[in-house]
Amino acid sequence: MKKLYRSTRDRKLWGICGGLAEMTGWDATLLRILLIIITILTHGAALFIYLISGFVIPKSPEPPYGLAGATTGGSWNAWTPPASSAYGHSSYSESNVAPSSVDRAMADMETKALRKELEAMRHKIEKFEKGDK
């Protein structure tokens, strides 16, 4: 069973709904909407419980965007910078990786499709200039 923490990755106020979402696997936005609806229905009592839980529930021990995604089963927003970069000083344009055969095949397919489309457009233009519609 997972332990409930306030999320450091998915937070709007204190990360309680984000922590519940990480623990249960539900969508955090859905939990936030449910919290608003329950707060309206209970005339603010749920907001009081939310505030108390913000003080009681501990923050997540994982860093917000570190290696947490690799240890917790993966997360779409657990980003880690490349090892060789210094936050913005990496050389993405200087790629030393040769294109794979799949990349070359895709480029060839795109080129053939563009040539075919260009020929079709030329044919339509010729028909239009002759007056054939």
Side-chain angles (χ1 to χ4, degrees):
M1 184 171 162
K2 293 183 178 181
K3 189 172 179 182
L4 176 61
Y5 290 109
R6 289 187 294 147
S7 177
T8 55
R9 288 183 296 240
D10 189 10
R11 61 184 300 169
K12 297 297 179 199
L13 291 176
W14 285 340
I16 297 169
C17 290
L20 279 170
E22 289 175 5
M23 186 180 89
T24 60
W26 292 2
D27 185 33
T29 306
L30 175 66
L31 291 175
R32 290 181 184 110
I33 292 170
L34 286 174
L35 176 68
I36 292 170
I37 292 171
I38 291 171
T39 302
I40 292 170
L41 293 176
T42 61
H43 303 288
L47 186 61
F48 181 69
I49 293 170
Y50 182 84
L51 292 174
I52 291 174
S53 62
F55 290 112
V56 174
I57 300 171
K59 269 189 180 177
S60 176
E62 300 171 346
Y65 296 103
L67 297 174
T71 59
T72 60
S75 177
W76 67 272
N77 61 353
W79 179 80
T80 56
S84 63
S85 77
Y87 293 103
H89 300 291
S90 63
S91 57
Y92 288 111
S93 61
E94 299 173 11
S95 177
N96 296 332
V97 179
S100 68
S101 61
V102 174
D103 291 334
R104 286 191 299 268
M106 289 300 292
D108 290 342
M109 287 173 51
E110 289 173 358
T111 304
K112 289 177 185 177
L114 286 173
R115 284 183 182 158
K116 186 176 181 181
E117 191 174 333
L118 184 62
E119 288 300 319
M121 292 301 288
R122 284 182 182 159
H123 182 65
K124 285 182 181 179
I125 290 172
E126 287 176 7
K127 282 179 71 174
F128 181 74
E129 287 177 346
K130 288 182 183 177
D132 300 337
K133 291 186 181 180

